Amino acid sequence: MVLKIVQSGDPVLRARARALTAQEIAGAEVQQLIELMRETMRDAPGVGLAAPQIGLPLQLAVIEDVAEVEATERTPVPFHVIINPRLVLGGEPVDFFEGCLSVDGYQAVVPRARTVHVEACDHRGEPVTIDARGWYARILQHEIDHLNGTLYIDRMRTRTFTTARNAARYLAGVSVPELLARLGETAS
Ligand code: ZN
C-alpha cells in the first residue's frame, strides 16, 4: 500500500512535528507506519520521506539511497529510520540541485552543510549517532527540515528554481558553478 504524499500548501508541512515516546516507537502503529513509509518512498521514488509528508506531524523520517554519483559525494545508504533527531551542521556549504516529493515537479540549487552530526533514535527506539557527508548529509538536512516545518524552497537560491522539465531541457551537462555564474550568483 502506498500513502498519499501531501503537497506544499498543506499546513502539516509547516507545523513543527512532535517527538515520539519510546512506547509509541515500540508500538504496532508506528512499526506499521514505518513499513508504509518505506513502500511509499520506494514507489515515489525518493531517497527520503518524512512523516509530515504523509500528513502526520511526527518526528520520524525514512531514508534509503541506492545511487552512486561521485560529483555530489553520493554513495548508497541502506534503509533506515530516524526518530526525534537532533542535527549539528559541519563543514562548508555546498551548492547542489535538490527536489522534494512535496514540491512535485520542481527543483532548485540549495546550499547545504557538507557534513552533519545527527543524534536520533532508530526504528527500535535505540539511540544512534550518524556522521554523514556529501549527499547523505544533504538528505538528512532535508528530512530533518521537514520535521521542523521547513521546505527546501525556504533555503534555495531562488533564481535557480526550475521545473524538472526545464532542467532537463536547459541544464543537461551544465554544472552548478556554471549555472550560478550564468545567473549572476556567487558560489558558496
Ligand atoms: Zn522533501
Side-chain angles (χ1 to χ4, degrees):
M1 196 178 106
V2 168
L3 304 166
K4 187 182 166 202
I5 298 175
V6 302
Q7 294 298 309
S8 184
D10 191 309
V12 73
L13 292 172
R14 292 311 194 172
R16 194 170 288 271
R18 77 163 174 86
L20 288 170
T21 65
Q23 256 185 329
E24 285 176 313
I25 297 168
E29 271 182 50
V30 166
Q31 292 303 311
Q32 162 129 56
L33 174 64
I34 289 169
E35 288 310 308
L36 290 173
M37 286 178 65
R38 166 162 41 190
E39 286 175 42
T40 303
M41 173 179 65
R42 287 179 175 170
D43 177 74
V47 295
L49 185 69
Q53 293 184 272
I54 46 124
L56 297 174
L58 303 173
Q59 286 185 35
L60 185 157
V62 296
I63 292 172
E64 181 181 52
D65 194 7
V66 294
E68 186 134 26
V69 185
E70 206 180 326
T72 55
E73 295 187 289
R74 185 170 176 182
T75 51
V77 177
F79 177 83
H80 68 102
V81 177
I82 53 170
I83 296 173
N84 306 339
R86 295 177 51 139
L87 172 73
V88 181
L89 303 179
E92 71 282 16
V94 178
D95 284 306
F96 210 77
F97 271 101
E98 202 169 303
C100 178
L101 297 173
S102 295
V103 189
D104 196 26
Y106 296 91
Q107 57 190 63
V109 172
V110 184
R112 295 280 191 187
R114 190 178 189 187
T115 63
V116 294
H117 175 81
V118 174
E119 291 175 14
C121 292
D122 69 6
H123 63 287
R124 292 165 309 187
E126 301 290 334
V128 287
T129 63
I130 302 169
D131 286 289
R133 68 185 290 130
W135 198 258
Y136 182 29
R138 179 174 294 271
I139 296 171
L140 286 163
Q141 290 168 77
H142 181 116
E143 298 310 324
I144 293 170
D145 267 354
H146 272 302
L147 307 183
N148 293 309
T150 297
L151 299 173
Y152 83 83
I153 52 177
D154 305 337
R155 303 191 187 278
M156 69 180 177
R157 291 171 172 276
T158 52
R159 286 170 61 78
T160 66
F161 188 64
T162 176
T163 62
R165 197 174 158 195
N166 278 339
R169 183 181 294 170
Y170 298 111
L171 299 178
V174 179
S175 72
V176 169
E178 245 177 285
L179 174 64
L180 295 181
R182 192 188 282 181
L183 294 169
E185 296 263 301
T186 313
S188 292

